[in-house]
Amino acid sequence: MSRRTSRPPRPTAGGPPAGCPCGSAETYAACCGRFHRGEAPAPTAEALMRSRYSAFVQRDEAYLLRTWHPRTRPPRVEFEAGTRWTGLEIVATGEGSAFHSTGTVTFRASYRGGSLHERSRFERVDGAWVYVDGEFLD
């Protein structure tokens, strides 16, 4: 189990590129962007959770659908108009490593005006981590 707080840094005028929306100090291109572009699969359930959060920030519907379990995948992703995601906190993880076939990630995703607290379930399908479903908490 782990507890980490991740808030995306804000870009500074003339400074280096801001970190990834998932909270990593790496740039989006070097972090979640490589998963979104299909250059590599997310190696753990937590990495997939972080990349899916970044996909919500980027409104990358194709990636979200591609990483959703086929039995629970909706026909499309509805993005809330006006929602501005402001940070991700990983509260806990259970299994979900390269040695597991299932995993859970409990997180809090903040947006302007509130937050979403969820325990998500992940499974491997053909060797790749996919999101199955989630239980809202609080």
Side-chain angles (χ1 to χ4, degrees):
M1 301 275 218
S2 64
R3 182 172 176 82
R4 291 177 290 256
T5 300
S6 303
R7 297 231 185 260
R10 298 178 188 256
T12 56
C20 188
C22 79
S24 166
E26 292 185 80
T27 65
Y28 166 75
C31 188
C32 293
R34 65 193 168 109
F35 302 138
H36 295 175
R37 293 187 304 273
E39 295 171 5
T44 64
E46 181 180 337
L48 181 63
M49 174 60 241
R50 289 178 174 281
S51 69
R52 286 178 56 84
Y53 170 81
S54 292
F56 272 101
V57 171
Q58 300 290 327
R59 295 181 176 256
D60 187 343
E61 180 182 27
Y63 181 77
L64 291 166
L65 292 173
R66 189 169 68 243
T67 58
W68 213 307
H69 197 290
R71 78 172 180 265
T72 59
R73 180 187 305 134
R76 60 181 320 231
V77 177
E78 300 289 333
F79 296 103
E80 295 278 337
T83 299
R84 177 152 185 230
W85 297 101
T86 58
L88 176 66
E89 174 188 359
I90 301 299
V91 177
T93 59
E95 298 187 333
S97 76
F99 303 105
H100 298 107
S101 59
T102 63
T104 61
V105 179
T106 303
F107 69 92
R108 184 170 284 108
S110 299
Y111 56 89
R112 190 166 279 162
S115 68
L116 172 91
H117 190 195
E118 180 179 310
R119 180 179 305 111
S120 296
R121 291 185 322 124
F122 298 88
E123 291 179 12
R124 282 187 187 266
V125 172
D126 298 327
W129 285 107
V130 292
Y131 170 79
V132 177
D133 58 20
E135 170 190 1
F136 293 115
L137 305 173
D138 287 342

